[in-house]
């Protein structure tokens, strides 16, 4: 055990600390690239083979496109567990019921290492797709977990160290729909009237090959494509009947943030977010949807004549993405509007379900529920020219920090904020390292980040902080920054439900209440701008 590499050291440490929490087979907690086998004691209700493979699909007119994709095979369980997304590179949609015991055998038929993560699900570390659990080409990894989530739309995607962005970009992703009794009892639109819509942006070359250009610039700001795909198709059109629908949107783009609105000015009726239904429907003129966020919309086409059309557009906004990111120079010129998908009413029907007034009770966390009401654990976001980090460190660098050791079965107050200390004012990483739980960086954020602050102003951007494990509640957004820019996006935040990702705008400090229940182990937290994640804007909590 000498001369360990940093990576080797990390693995050994976790094995020692965590062995009792998840002993599977003989390999108590030590991940190897050879993968993990099924455990004979786990009585699975549902069993799936999920193969990561190369494929060729028709996306645009003309030549087909080479992609990587998940292919699924149902071994055991209800017939509706797996549904292919027709004509898409997207992996099959998995449909689970709360309480089911699930076994998924991931087989890597790609030319490089990979590991899948079930984004939004509350599962043990061994089933979470930890980057260090990545398996080699040809190997398999067996995930076993019980569905503890309430009804919600989640998704699966690779979580491979430094290769998440490219693997997702090539096509690896799929949906996970969780159902439960409580939601079923509401009688929301289901079957053909419940439509998942996955939004992604891509670039194609003249031969319809996926292009992932941009180099350092892309790594800094994230990838922005010029072609919007919905469920893997361009110019997506939906044909509907004149009744109520449930449209369930996921932003599975690497970096692009959308500001969604109907082109005819109809308001949006939001019934759910990342972690499932809201307490009651909420109306918005527009909704912001950052990478990995989900939004559940009730859309009623009743009374619209056959032939009526609506287009969901992404509207312009400013202040979240530096102008540099979009290939512009100087001040933030905002993000232009563009269409996402369109809907045509093609059938008249006479009855339609009614929008429930109340959806689900959500018990809001109160001060007395929090383990640390006066000393929030910090997530300090740092983005400088050559480096992306959280709490002063890149992923895999440095040991656990004090604030990253979390007692199991506690609810923690966490404060997420921008730390601009790395930008040459001498207060950067050293200070972050020494920072205790008190959030010693207070006051360093907003004041420095108005527009026109030169390099710093141009570099400050929204980050989309995602925490693995249980869904959290957003308690508070404090803002000190560009109020005019903020007016172009802030009404589109839906903060009242359960969340696993939160957009943290430049100048914002966001407080969340995050439960760390049931499972000990290492659980990631990171920016879901996948380029940022791969650049190191990711760390982990050790739940002990
Ligand atoms: Cu969607 Cu850690 O990821
Ligand atoms: Cu996740
Ligand atoms: Cu980021």
């Amino acid at each position: 055990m000498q001369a360990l590499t940093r990576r080797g050291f990390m693995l050994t440490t976790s094995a020692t600390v965590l062995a009792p929490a998840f002993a599977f087979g003989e390999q108590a907690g030590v991940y190897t690239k050879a993968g993990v086998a099924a455990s004979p004691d786990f009585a699975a209700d549902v069993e799936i083979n999920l193969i990561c493979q190369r494929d060729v699909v028709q996306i645009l007119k003309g030549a087909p496109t080479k992609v990587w994709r998940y292919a699924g095979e149902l071994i055991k369980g209800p017939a509706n567990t797996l549904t292919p997304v027709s004509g898409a590179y997207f992996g099959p949609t998995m449909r689970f019921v709360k309480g089911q015991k699930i076994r998924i055998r991931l087989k890597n038929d790609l030319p490089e290492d990979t590991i899948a993560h079930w984004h939004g699900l509350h599962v043990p570390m061994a089933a979470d797709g930890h980057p260090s659990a990545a398996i080699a080409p040809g190997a398999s990894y067996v995930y076993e977990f019980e569905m503890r989530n309430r009804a919600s739309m989640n998704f699966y995607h690779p979580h491979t160290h430094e290769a998440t962005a490219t693997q997702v970009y090539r096509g690896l992703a799929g949906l996970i729909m969780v159902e439960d009794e409580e939601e079923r009892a509401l009688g929301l639109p289901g079957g053909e009237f419940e439509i998942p819509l996955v939004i992604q942006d891509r670039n194609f070359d003249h031969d319809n090959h996926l292009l992932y250009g941009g180099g350092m610039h892309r790594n800094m700001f994230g990838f922005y494509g010029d072609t919007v795909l919905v469920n893997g198709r361009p110019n997506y059109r939906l044909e509907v009947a004149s009744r109520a629908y449930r449209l369930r949107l996921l932003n599975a783009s690497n970096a692009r943030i959308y500001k969604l609105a109907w082109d005819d000015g109809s308001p949006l009726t939001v019934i759910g977010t990342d972690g499932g239904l809201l307490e009651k429907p909420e109306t918005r003129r527009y909704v912001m949807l950052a990478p990995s966020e989900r939004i559940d919309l009730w859309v009623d086409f009743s009374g619209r004549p056959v032939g009526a059309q609506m287009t969901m557009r992404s509207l312009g906004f400013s202040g979240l993405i530096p102008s540099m990111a979009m290939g512009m120079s100087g001040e933030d010129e905002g993000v232009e509007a563009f269409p996402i998908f369109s809907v045509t009413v093609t059938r008249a029907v006479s009855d339609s379900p009614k929008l429930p007034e109340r959806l689900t009770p959500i018990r809001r966390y109160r001060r007395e529920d929090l383990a640390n009401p006066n000393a929030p654990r910090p997530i300090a976001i740092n983005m400088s020219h050559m480096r992306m980090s959280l709490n002063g460190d890149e992923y895999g660098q440095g040991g656990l920090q004090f604030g990253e050791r979390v007692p199991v079965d506690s609810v923690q107050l966490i404060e997420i904020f921008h730390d601009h200390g790395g930008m040459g004012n001498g207060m950067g990483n050293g200070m972050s390292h020494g920072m205790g739980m008190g959030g010693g960086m207070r006051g360093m954020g907003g004041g420095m980040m108005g527009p026109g602050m030169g390099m710093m102003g141009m570099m400050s951007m929204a980050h989309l902080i995602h925490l693995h494990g249980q869904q959290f509640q957003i308690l508070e957004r404090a803002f000190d920054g560009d109020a005019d820019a903020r007016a172009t996006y802030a009404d589109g935040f839906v903060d009242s439900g359960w969340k696993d990702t939160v957009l943290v705008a430049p100048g914002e400090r966001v407080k969340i209440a995050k439960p760390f229940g049931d499972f000990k182990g290492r659980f990631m937290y990171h920016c879901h701008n996948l380029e940022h994640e791969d650049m190191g804007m990711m760390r982990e909590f050790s739940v002990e």
Side-chain angles (χ1 to χ4, degrees):
M1 288 298 209
Q2 289 135 26
L4 289 163
T5 61
R6 191 155 219 165
R7 187 178 171 87
F9 177 71
M10 199 190 79
L11 291 178
T12 310
T13 310
S14 4
T16 316
V17 175
L18 299 170
F22 52 96
F24 37 84
E26 284 92 73
Q27 321 174 326
V30 181
Y31 298 122
T32 71
K33 287 194 180 193
V36 167
S39 96
D41 315 327
F42 185 85
D45 304 308
V46 175
E47 214 168 325
I48 291 168
N49 286 346
L50 193 66
I51 303 116
C52 316
Q53 61 184 34
R54 285 173 281 197
D55 205 348
V56 171
V57 296
Q58 194 75 41
I59 300 175
L60 305 177
K61 291 202 185 70
T65 301
K66 287 183 197 152
V67 297
W68 290 4
R69 67 180 304 181
Y70 290 112
E73 195 186 0
L74 184 64
I75 305 300
K76 181 183 178 188
N80 72 348
T81 302
L82 286 188
T83 322
V85 180
S86 77
Y89 53 80
F90 228 59
T93 298
M94 301 180 182
R95 201 166 272 277
F96 297 127
V97 180
K98 188 174 180 182
Q100 273 176 336
K101 295 182 100 180
I102 296 155
R103 176 182 286 134
I104 302 173
R105 185 176 285 98
L106 184 82
K107 170 93 197 297
N108 181 6
D109 280 346
L110 299 172
E112 63 186 46
D113 294 359
T114 195
I115 191 73
H117 163 61
W118 325 106
H119 180 122
L121 299 191
H122 176 44
V123 296
M125 177 190 175
D128 195 42
H130 194 277
S132 64
I135 51 169
S140 295
Y141 192 101
V142 179
Y143 298 79
E144 291 167 336
F145 58 92
E146 182 192 310
M147 181 55 70
R148 298 194 175 207
N149 288 62
R150 60 201 288 263
S152 51
M153 185 171 90
N154 302 284
F155 72 121
Y156 56 101
H157 64 75
H159 220 298
T160 320
H161 184 41
E162 293 177 342
T164 296
T166 50
Q167 293 187 356
V168 170
Y169 188 73
R170 288 171 186 271
L172 289 165
L175 287 172
I176 300 174
M177 316 300 287
V178 182
E179 298 175 353
D180 65 14
E181 284 306 323
E182 189 199 358
E183 188 180 286
R184 222 174 266 161
L186 285 170
L188 299 172
E192 61 169 311
F193 306 114
E194 178 191 17
I195 304 177
L197 297 164
V198 180
I199 309 172
Q200 296 178 301
D201 58 337
R202 295 290 185 266
N203 277 336
F204 295 90
D205 72 6
H206 292 300
D207 300 316
N208 292 349
H209 293 131
L210 284 168
L211 272 180
Y212 185 68
M216 194 57 208
H217 182 272
R218 176 203 62 220
N219 292 343
M220 279 297 296
F221 301 113
F223 171 88
Y224 299 89
D226 59 13
T227 305
V228 172
L229 304 177
V230 172
N231 295 346
R233 327 279 316 167
N235 307 314
Y236 197 77
R237 301 181 159 277
L238 218 52
E239 301 195 337
V240 300
S242 56
R243 54 160 281 155
Y245 278 74
R246 189 176 180 189
L247 302 186
R248 310 188 68 174
L249 281 67
L250 158 68
N251 179 356
S253 307
N254 281 31
R256 188 179 284 281
I257 298 165
Y258 302 90
K259 176 180 174 179
L260 301 171
W262 292 114
D263 64 339
D264 67 357
S266 304
L268 300 171
T269 303
V270 182
I271 59 170
T273 51
D274 306 347
L277 293 173
L278 303 178
E279 288 199 280
K280 49 182 192 319
E282 289 182 28
T283 303
R284 292 284 196 284
R285 282 178 300 132
Y286 64 86
V287 156
M288 301 305 296
L289 197 67
S292 91
E293 284 187 309
R294 286 84 81 199
I295 203 87
D296 200 342
L297 298 178
W298 173 282
V299 190
D300 197 345
F301 302 104
S302 301
R304 289 184 188 253
V306 169
Q309 287 218 14
M310 287 164 87
T311 300
M312 176 75 78
R313 294 169 69 79
S314 183
L315 304 182
F317 56 87
S318 56
L320 295 181
I321 302 166
S323 48
M324 284 168 72
M326 313 305 290
M328 295 178 275
S329 56
E331 290 297 300
D332 186 345
E333 288 160 33
V335 179
E336 296 298 316
F338 53 88
I340 310 279
F341 64 90
S342 66
V343 183
T344 309
V345 179
T346 56
R347 271 182 301 146
V349 296
S350 51
D351 56 76
S352 172
K354 290 275 160 296
L355 177 63
E357 259 169 53
R358 304 211 66 83
L359 298 164
T360 186
I362 294 179
R363 197 179 92 70
R364 303 294 306 178
Y365 288 121
R366 289 190 299 240
R367 193 181 163 81
E368 54 267 34
D369 298 316
L370 302 171
N372 56 334
N374 299 317
R377 290 172 191 266
I379 295 182
I381 305 165
N382 185 272
M383 173 170 168
S384 67
H385 221 313
M386 297 310 292
R387 204 162 169 266
M388 308 252 174
S389 62
L390 293 175
N391 288 334
D393 272 320
E394 290 157 48
Y395 179 67
Q397 301 297 301
L400 275 180
Q401 295 169 15
F402 177 61
E404 291 173 336
R405 304 172 77 105
V406 177
V408 70
D409 293 326
S410 65
V411 181
Q412 298 289 328
L413 176 64
I414 296 177
E415 184 170 30
I416 312 169
F417 55 94
H418 301 261
D419 160 17
H420 290 278
M423 290 300 293
N425 61 7
M427 298 181 67
N429 301 319
M431 184 161 174
S432 302
H433 273 288
M435 177 168 52
M437 287 176 51
M441 312 288 286
R442 182 174 287 283
M444 291 189 55
M448 314 171 68
M449 1 205 306
M453 288 294 298
M455 199 55 189
M456 192 171 310
M458 277 158 37
M459 302 262 297
S460 62
M461 64 184 288
H463 298 275
L464 329 156
I465 301 302
H466 166 56
L467 287 79
H468 286 210
Q470 280 165 299
Q471 304 275 328
F472 55 79
Q473 292 178 2
I474 297 172
L475 304 181
E476 173 190 316
R477 290 177 186 266
F479 181 72
D480 180 10
D482 181 345
D484 293 337
R486 187 171 182 78
T488 70
Y489 59 76
D491 290 347
F493 295 147
V494 184
D495 289 345
S496 52
W498 293 102
K499 297 284 294 171
D500 59 48
T501 302
V502 59
L503 187 161
V504 182
E508 262 190 340
R509 306 180 71 96
V510 180
K511 283 193 182 143
I512 64 171
K514 162 81 166 110
F516 290 86
D518 305 332
F519 306 123
K520 295 181 179 178
R522 301 278 181 113
F523 293 91
M524 319 303 301
Y525 64 98
H526 58 89
C527 183
H528 222 284
N529 176 317
L530 297 182
E531 283 71 29
H532 289 180
E533 175 184 338
D534 282 348
M535 287 286 284
M537 196 175 271
M538 172 160 80
R539 289 191 54 80
E540 54 191 4
F541 288 110
S542 175
V543 183
E544 303 176 348

